[in-house]
Every structure is written in structure tokens, then in C-alpha cells.
Amino acid sequence: MGERFTGVSADMSAEDFVSTTAPVNGGANGGHDDIEPDVANGNGANGNGAKPPMPTQGSFFFHAKTPSQQIVDIKATQDDLTRWPEIKKGYSELLMWLIFFGLYCSVLMIQLRVERTYQIDEALRQMVVSEGDALQDVSTLGDFFGYLEDQIRPNIFPPEWYNGDTLTTDETGFVMYYNMLVGGLLVVQQRGTQQSPCRVPMYSGAKSSYQDFYEICYPNKLIESDYTDEQRRNGEVPWAPGVPAPPTKPVNVLETRNDPTLGDFADAFTFSTEYDGFASFLALADGAKLNQDKVEALKKYRWLDKHTRAIDIKFALYNGMLQMFTFCVIHFGFDQTGTFVPYNHVGGTKVTIKTIDMEPYLGNKFSDRMQIALEVILVVWIFYQISSFVRGGLEILFREGWRGKAEVDELGTKVYKGGFKNFLMDKWTIIDVANYGLFVIYIVMRVELVRTILHKDNIIQVPANSYKPILEEAKTRVETQLLGNFFNILLCLTRCFKFYRFQPRLAIINKTMEECFSDLYHFLLMFITFLFGFAVMSHVLFGPQLPQFSTLAESLMTGWMMMNGASLSYMQLAYVDGQMAAVFFLAFMFLVFIILLNVLLAILVDSYALAKDKVVEEYGGEEDNIPSLAGDFATITRHSFSWGGISNTILLQAVKYLGEQGEEQVTVEQIYQAIPEGVRKRNNITHEKILKNGGLHLVEEGDEQEEEHIDHMTEPDLNQILAGGVGSEVKELLRKMDDMLLENKQLRKRIDNEIASGRMSRTKSD
């Protein structure tokens, strides 16, 4: 299959194919000395041009066909052989892309170890952080100290076993039994400046009527932002504007420096460049008692005050059995309303937990070796694809030039087709470039992450007695890598549509998007306008009381979720304003949910119908003619498991030639004779080899063939059947069929006589 032969090529015409010998229907015997003249002329055995009888296999009164007598559908065979190279190439590319995409996703999941990280993440959120309970109750500065003392410190520094037994030295430092605390617990505060007057007048001479009543404001601007890096390192950042660090008022923190029971407590009131804020480190080595005293002293000396803008609680754990480091950050954003920003709002309370393998590729397990192998294969495959893409672009540039080939369209306008410029402007080229770019960024970020965590200066020395910033840096790098991979996966999914184009039924979706693009972006303009308008309306009406509408961004998100079916209790809206809730709810549901969404659905449905109609038209107006996945898989199976058959190129040229002669169905013998004798001899072509070709479509036996065979039955054949052991109903049916055939012949004879005598025209007889 697929061989190349002298004098035969895939792009030669049917006339060229048979030019090496006389045509099948030419001369006395068509240029073939080994066949009968009538067969070479395409005639039947009687030489009158009628097709030979076509016996049907499996019938009790027909003879089985020999290989040379098998009937072949010319059009189906030609379509199959013509489309096979496209099917082979299309499915090969699609399969390779899906394998590549699966490899990329597998490597990503292995690197992140999602199942393990989820177990650690969920345990910390529920048991240590108490995300769904105690954390939700932190609203004021006082609540923060209660949360730190009652929830975090006892779980990070457990003093005893569950039965009251005191922990030994070897047993201390474990969180939830198996997770070893690295260093200790870090609490970092971000402090802001102050401003007076609160409102700066627009023009000189103006003054707020309430300036004397409220003299000082506390903006979100951080206090260290007014100082250079060198000043920060030298400790010149004050505790508050006009108050040095550590402060002596309203309480004197300096007096604690000589208190051995508080250790380095006073450092919490001095800006730290290492921790980028005012930090207090509760070291594991200091013991539970000293750490408890530090927390109480922070509360006593008012470590949190009006200048507090944000607080972070940070700690890291190591699970030796899972061989993973876990870094946890609990962030609190203090609002100008005097409370912490609500949970999961922008800048508000948020829990971030990242689990990282700080020793990749060092294990000797099969999974570790498999990870290295898969990553190497992925990197090689990525750069192979990039090199193939670049090579393809350069070939277009050198072959077709920058602008391509100039042609004149139907309107007489000069247009350029092909060329490197059109290649660069193609939407799939742009998507490919973006996808390959993100792959390269992913590789660079992965290498940089591994290089950072394996650097000798960044290896965590345990047991540690200090905070390890490398874990926070690794966490940040992982988050950035995850963001890039998120968009990269979206591009990979989009590129799947590129590989669907060869399959007509899959390509309908592509054509649908092309058809609806113009209507869709016009609709989106109207849709965004309505959504934004309702967001503003809901923000103004319900924002002061309901968190779902407290900000414009929240209002937009809530509107989007309502549009997609997320339930929002009408009673919640009515609680704020009953009358306006009814107006808003009904207007939103009618205009957005009923009208706009149905218009969107109509655009997509109409575009799909139009795209499908165009595809149907390309295949002769019959939907059943459109190749399906099942049909393509059947074609692949036939071609893949057909060995020892004739070359596709030779068979295609033969059926093309016969098709140009007006043939619709031919025997294998006719195909054999249509192949030049020299080609047959060189390639040892036989009838059996023709039948072994996977693209050959044999005609199924049907009612039409049966009627034709019955028409050719002789009286002795019928008598032989009637004399056989068949049932009486079958005999009676055959007798009736014989009578009808005889009557039909007599009627044809009468019509011919009428035409010959001129009493009936040919048109009338037809």
C-alpha cells in the first residue's frame, strides 16, 4: 500500500495513467492480449454491450462470484481513496496533539501532586486555621488577638497530648502529629501613615466644616513607602509619624528590652526588611510559655492600633512521610470602617496554603524516575514542535514570498493568496505562537524554581529557629507558574479546534463560530451594557446591606451568576427594599434572563444551522453523505488491516479512468484490465491483490440486483428451482414472478411494434 511505481504518480490524470498502453475500450481487444475482445471492450459475453449477469452470494438459486466478478462501486471507491490521505494525516495529527496535551497535563499534575496537597490543605484549613468557624468571627483588632491566642497558638504549639500528658522534647513541634513546624510562627503587621486635614481642599482658602471635629485620618498608604531601601535597612522607619521605633508612648516598649521573659519582643515594634513589615517571630525553640507571654505582651503594649492596615500570620510545616513542605498565610486586611475587610473580599481575610516538594528528582522511587523521564520527553517534544512550526513558516517564506501569489477575483480585484504575511496574520498562527510562548515560559519558570530551591544557600537547615523566606519565595513562584499554566491549558483546548478542521462534522463547530462572530460581538456589546446597568442599579439599591452587591465588582459577579442560574433569594432583596426588589428582580429576569439569553441562543442555533447547511451542500445536499467519525474509523480500520493489496495510487487512477468512461459499477476484472499491462507485470497485480485494497467498495446485494438476476433466469433454472424441496408459498411466489416477467416482455414487444409502425412516439412510450 502506498508504493511508488515507475510511470505512476498520485497527481497524474486518468488519461496519462493509461497512456502507456491502448485504452481498455480501444482496439480489437483494448491492447490486452490476455483477455477476450468483448471483455476488453467492456461488453458482456454476448458482445452486445449489456452488462453480464450479477449473481448474488448467499442466495439459494444464485452462483457464488469469483474474485474477478465482484462488483465495485466506482464513486465510493474513488471518494475513499481520494480522502484517505487527508483522513490519515488529520487523525494522526489529532492523535499526536491529544497525546502531547495529555503528557503536558500529566507532568503538571505530577509536579504539583494535587492529591497529596489537597489532604494537607484541607486538614490545615479545618483543624488549625478553622476557616469555616473561628476565622469568620474575626472582625476587630481585639478579635484578632483572641483568634491568635485561642485558635492558632494552641494548634501550632500544642502543650500536651489529648489525654493531658506533657509532650516530651522529641514530641514537641508537631502539628496534627505528623507535620513538623519549621522554625516557628511569624506575625507581620503592615502599618500606614496619617493625614491631617482629612480632606485636602480643591482650592486654597477652603476648609472642611468638620476639620476641627475630625482632625486626623489614617489612609492606606504604608508608612515605609516614604523611605528609601537604605533607610529601611538602617532602621529609620518610625513606628508612626513622629513616633520613633520602638515607641516610648503611649506605652514605653524600650523597657521590655531588659526583660528576659520576653526575649526579642521589642523587635516587633521595629520595621524589618527581611519580613517587609513590623514582625514578631514566635520561635519553636522558645517554648510554649515564652511564646504565650509574647502574645500577651503584644496585646498589652497595643501592637495593633489605628495605623494597622494589614496583618499576616505565616508558618511552614514539613511532612516527612509525604516529603512535602507546606507554607500557610492567613491574611487580614483592616478597613477604614474600623473592622477587618470581610472574608474573601478583595484585600480582606484570606487563607493561602501551598504545598511544595523542596527536593524534586532526589528520590529513588519509580514515580520519581518516571517524573524525570516524562519531563524530558515533554521538553524535547515542545522544542520539536516549535522547530517544526518555524521551519514551516520559513518554507512558506522561501516558496511563496512575503505577499504570496497574485490572483484576480470575480470582481476583477487583485488579491494575494498564500505568502508569509498571510501566514503570520492567520488566527491559528497567532494562537500557536501564544501557546508555544507560554510553554517556553513554563519551562523557564520550572527550571528557575528548581534551581532556586536546590541552591545550597536555600536548603532549609532543620531544626530551624528562624523564619525561612525561601518557602514564601517558592510559594510565589508556584502561584505564578499556576497562573501561566491556567492560560496555557485554555490555549491548548482552543488549539484542539484547529485539529478538528479536517473532519466535516467536527468542523461544523468551527464554522459555527465563524458564522456567528459578527452577530456575537454586536450582541456582547448590548449584553455588557445591560449587565453593567443592572450591576450599578443593584449596587446602589442593595449594596449598603447585602455583601453580594457591596462593591461594583461583586454586583457584576452576582449578576453574572444570576444569569447562569445561581439562585439569589428574593427575600434577601425584599429585606432591604421590598418595592424596588420586585422591580429589579422582574426587570432583570425578563430583560436579561428571558430576552438576552434567548437571543444569544438564537444566534448560536441559527449559525449552527447555517454552517451545517453549507457542509451538507458541499456533500451533494444529503446529510448522510457527510463523513462521520464512525465512518472514518471504519475507513482507518480497513486501510490499516489490509495487507498485500494493490497500491492506492494505482487503484485510484484506474477507478478515475473508469469513472471518466461513465461507469458507475464495474467488476474487479474491468479494474484489472484498466491498469496498464506494464504496471500489472511490474507490481505483480492480481484480482486478489485488488480485492485486498482497503479502499475498495464492493456493491452490496440488493433488490435491484435480485430483480436483474431473476430477469436473466432461464426456464430450466426456474423449473429446477420449482422441482426442488422449497415450500409451496415460495413456489407460488416464483410462479407469479415468472408470469409477471412474461407479461412484461410481451408488453415491451407490443410497444416496440407500435413505435416501429409510427403509431406511438418514443416520448410517449417512455
Side-chain angles (χ1 to χ4, degrees):
M1 304 275 295
E3 315 141 62
R4 305 295 300 179
F5 301 100
T6 305
V8 180
S9 62
D11 56 351
M12 65 189 301
S13 64
E15 290 81 0
D16 296 335
F17 176 74
V18 297
S19 63
T20 57
T21 62
V24 173
N25 292 330
N29 58 3
H32 301 280
D33 299 331
D34 56 343
I35 58 174
E36 296 295 329
D38 287 335
V39 176
N41 290 326
N43 298 329
N46 55 9
N48 59 5
K51 292 184 179 180
M54 297 190 297
T56 305
Q57 296 182 9
S59 172
F60 64 88
F61 55 89
F62 296 126
H63 301 290
K65 296 177 181 176
T66 63
S68 62
Q69 293 175 326
Q70 296 286 338
I71 308 301
V72 179
D73 188 321
I74 289 292
K75 184 177 185 304
T77 301
Q78 183 174 339
D79 291 344
D80 187 297
L81 293 174
T82 302
R83 193 166 173 268
W84 167 242
E86 181 184 3
I87 292 177
K88 183 178 180 181
K89 178 183 178 183
Y91 279 103
S92 298
E93 291 180 347
L94 177 59
L95 179 62
M96 294 304 294
W97 170 251
L98 293 178
I99 294 175
F100 170 77
F101 183 51
L103 175 63
Y104 167 59
C105 293
S106 299
V107 169
L108 193 61
M109 290 186 291
I110 291 174
Q111 290 176 348
L112 297 176
R113 302 187 182 185
V114 178
E115 294 182 2
R116 291 184 178 183
T117 58
Y118 170 77
Q119 297 172 4
I120 299 175
D121 185 290
E122 184 67 13
L124 288 176
R125 290 180 185 273
Q126 298 301 326
M127 303 300 297
V128 178
V129 178
S130 186
E131 186 177 28
D133 188 11
L135 185 62
Q136 302 285 345
D137 297 332
V138 180
S139 299
T140 65
L141 298 178
D143 293 338
F144 172 81
F145 279 106
Y147 176 75
L148 183 61
E149 289 180 318
D150 300 335
Q151 179 64 38
I152 296 299
R153 191 182 57 78
N155 285 285
I156 297 298
F157 305 104
E160 57 188 21
W161 280 92
Y162 57 85
N163 62 353
D165 292 347
T166 303
L167 295 175
T168 65
T169 303
D170 295 336
E171 294 172 339
T172 58
F174 283 93
V175 178
M176 296 185 300
Y177 304 113
Y178 295 130
N179 303 283
M180 186 67 181
L181 183 66
V182 180
L185 182 73
L186 180 68
V187 185
V188 184
Q189 176 188 182
Q190 303 291 333
R191 296 180 62 81
T193 61
Q194 64 186 38
Q195 175 180 316
S196 180
C198 292
R199 175 174 294 182
V200 179
M202 184 181 300
Y203 46 88
S204 60
K207 179 181 178 182
S208 172
S209 302
Y210 310 104
Q211 178 174 322
D212 296 334
F213 179 70
Y214 204 101
E215 297 182 356
I216 301 176
C217 287
Y218 302 89
N220 290 325
K221 181 181 178 182
L222 298 182
I223 192 170
E224 66 267 20
S225 61
D226 292 331
Y227 296 85
T228 64
D229 292 339
E230 183 177 358
Q231 290 175 320
R232 297 178 188 180
R233 287 191 296 268
N234 295 333
E236 298 181 21
V237 179
W239 172 248
V243 180
T248 57
K249 60 177 184 179
V251 290
N252 188 4
V253 178
L254 290 176
E255 66 185 14
T256 64
R257 287 192 179 276
N258 299 324
D259 189 348
T261 61
L262 296 180
D264 58 353
F265 164 76
D267 293 343
F269 294 83
T270 303
F271 183 82
S272 171
T273 55
E274 181 182 4
Y275 303 138
D276 197 25
F278 297 83
S280 177
F281 184 69
L282 307 180
L284 175 63
D286 291 343
K289 180 64 171 61
L290 178 57
N291 289 326
Q292 181 179 358
D293 293 340
K294 283 185 178 181
V295 173
E296 293 177 351
L298 290 175
K299 183 177 181 181
K300 175 182 176 182
Y301 287 91
R302 287 167 50 182
W303 187 62
L304 303 180
D305 55 20
K306 292 183 177 181
H307 291 88
T308 301
R309 298 272 63 87
I311 312 170
D312 289 326
I313 299 176
K314 303 179 181 181
F315 60 91
L317 306 172
Y318 177 70
N319 190 305
M321 290 183 290
L322 299 179
Q323 299 176 352
M324 304 287 281
F325 280 89
T326 301
F327 180 74
C328 180
V329 179
I330 310 172
H331 175 80
F332 300 87
F334 201 66
D335 195 25
Q336 292 180 337
T337 59
T339 61
F340 288 107
V341 180
Y343 183 78
N344 270 346
H345 280 57
V346 177
T349 303
K350 180 181 179 181
V351 179
T352 303
I353 300 176
K354 292 297 178 185
T355 301
I356 308 167
D357 184 3
M358 296 293 289
E359 294 181 328
Y361 318 120
L362 295 183
N364 194 29
K365 295 182 179 179
F366 173 78
S367 59
D368 297 321
R369 296 193 296 270
M370 180 61 67
Q371 177 180 348
I372 296 176
L374 293 178
E375 289 184 3
V376 171
I377 294 173
L378 178 63
V379 171
V380 172
W381 202 337
I382 289 173
F383 284 104
Y384 171 77
Q385 287 194 353
I386 294 176
S387 62
S388 300
F389 175 78
V390 174
R391 184 174 64 251
L394 293 177
E395 288 177 356
I396 293 175
L397 177 62
F398 294 138
R399 185 178 64 249
E400 303 177 6
W402 173 255
R403 303 181 68 180
K405 183 180 179 181
E407 296 182 1
V408 179
D409 60 11
E410 299 176 353
L411 302 177
T413 305
K414 187 177 181 180
V415 295
Y416 291 90
K417 292 187 177 181
F420 191 67
K421 179 181 179 181
N422 290 330
F423 169 76
L424 293 178
M425 298 301 295
D426 184 73
K427 60 179 178 296
W428 294 116
T429 301
I430 297 174
I431 293 175
D432 289 347
V433 170
N435 192 209
Y436 291 140
L438 286 178
F439 272 122
V440 172
I441 293 175
Y442 159 67
I443 294 174
V444 172
M445 293 179 61
R446 178 64 183 178
V447 171
E448 185 63 21
L449 173 64
V450 174
R451 187 194 66 81
T452 300
I453 61 180
L454 293 183
H455 192 276
K456 62 179 182 179
D457 296 334
N458 293 329
I459 296 177
I460 300 176
Q461 302 296 331
V462 289
N465 196 32
S466 62
Y467 177 76
K468 300 299 180 181
I470 180 59
L471 292 174
E472 189 168 358
E473 181 181 353
K475 184 266 297 187
T476 303
R477 291 181 181 273
V478 170
E479 288 179 338
T480 306
Q481 180 180 327
L482 287 175
L483 182 63
N485 285 319
F486 169 79
F487 289 104
N488 200 19
I489 291 176
L490 286 181
L491 285 178
C492 288
L493 293 175
T494 303
R495 286 188 68 192
C496 289
F497 290 97
K498 174 184 177 181
F499 298 98
Y500 295 157
R501 294 178 297 173
F502 78 96
Q503 216 293 327
R505 290 190 181 271
L506 292 177
I508 292 178
I509 304 300
N510 295 33
K511 296 179 183 293
T512 299
M513 300 307 297
E514 294 175 359
E515 293 291 342
C516 73
F517 180 76
S518 178
D519 293 333
L520 197 59
Y521 78 78
H522 285 91
F523 167 81
L524 287 177
L525 177 62
M526 177 176 60
F527 173 77
I528 292 174
T529 302
F530 270 82
L531 186 62
F532 182 79
F534 276 101
V536 173
M537 186 190 310
S538 60
H539 176 57
V540 173
L541 290 175
F542 313 113
Q545 285 80 28
L546 298 179
Q548 299 94 322
F549 305 102
S550 58
T551 65
L552 183 59
E554 289 287 342
S555 300
L556 285 169
M557 182 58 65
T558 302
W560 174 262
M561 295 176 64
M562 290 174 61
M563 182 194 68
N564 286 279
S567 60
L568 178 66
S569 174
Y570 170 75
M571 297 307 298
Q572 289 181 286
L573 303 180
Y575 173 79
V576 178
D577 190 328
Q579 294 179 341
M580 294 308 301
V583 174
F584 171 82
F585 195 80
L586 292 176
F588 182 87
M589 297 301 292
F590 179 74
L591 293 176
V592 177
F593 200 78
I594 296 178
I595 295 182
L596 289 183
L597 286 186
N598 281 282
V599 169
L600 175 62
L601 182 62
I603 291 174
L604 296 176
V605 170
D606 289 347
S607 299
Y608 178 83
L610 183 59
K612 187 174 182 180
D613 290 343
K614 289 184 177 180
V615 175
V616 171
E617 185 178 350
E618 293 176 3
Y619 287 87
E622 293 291 337
E623 184 176 349
D624 293 339
N625 293 339
I626 304 176
S628 63
L629 288 175
D632 288 348
F633 291 155
T635 300
I636 294 173
T637 303
R638 288 199 314 271
H639 283 269
S640 300
F641 294 94
S642 298
W643 297 290
I646 186 177
S647 163
N648 286 349
T649 303
I650 296 176
L651 181 59
L652 178 59
Q653 297 300 332
V655 296
K656 276 186 179 180
Y657 172 74
L658 293 172
E660 292 172 359
Q661 305 304 312
E663 299 289 349
E664 295 182 358
Q665 296 180 358
V666 298
T667 62
V668 174
E669 174 66 25
Q670 289 175 280
I671 295 178
Y672 178 82
Q673 298 300 338
I675 301 173
E677 184 178 4
V679 177
R680 296 204 306 264
K681 290 182 177 180
R682 281 194 303 271
N683 299 282
N684 193 24
I685 296 176
T686 62
H687 299 89
E688 288 76 11
K689 291 186 70 173
I690 295 176
L691 286 171
K692 288 181 180 179
N693 186 282
L696 200 70
H697 285 254
L698 299 178
V699 176
E700 297 291 339
E701 307 297 348
D703 295 337
E704 182 178 354
Q705 287 84 353
E706 291 180 4
E707 181 180 345
E708 182 177 353
H709 291 302
I710 292 176
D711 187 45
H712 285 281
M713 289 177 61
T714 61
E715 187 69 22
D717 292 332
L718 184 59
N719 293 334
Q720 182 181 0
I721 294 172
L722 295 177
V726 297
S728 58
E729 295 182 359
V730 176
K731 292 180 180 179
E732 182 64 25
L733 177 61
L734 291 174
R735 287 194 182 95
K736 290 182 179 180
M737 292 173 63
D738 186 46
D739 294 340
M740 292 174 63
L741 290 173
L742 180 61
E743 183 180 352
N744 185 41
K745 291 179 180 179
Q746 294 174 351
L747 180 60
R748 287 181 179 177
K749 187 174 181 180
R750 288 176 53 190
I751 292 176
D752 291 340
N753 293 335
E754 293 287 338
I755 294 174
S757 62
R759 286 177 291 182
M760 180 182 292
S761 65
R762 172 65 63 181
T763 304
K764 185 176 181 181
S765 68
D766 292 339

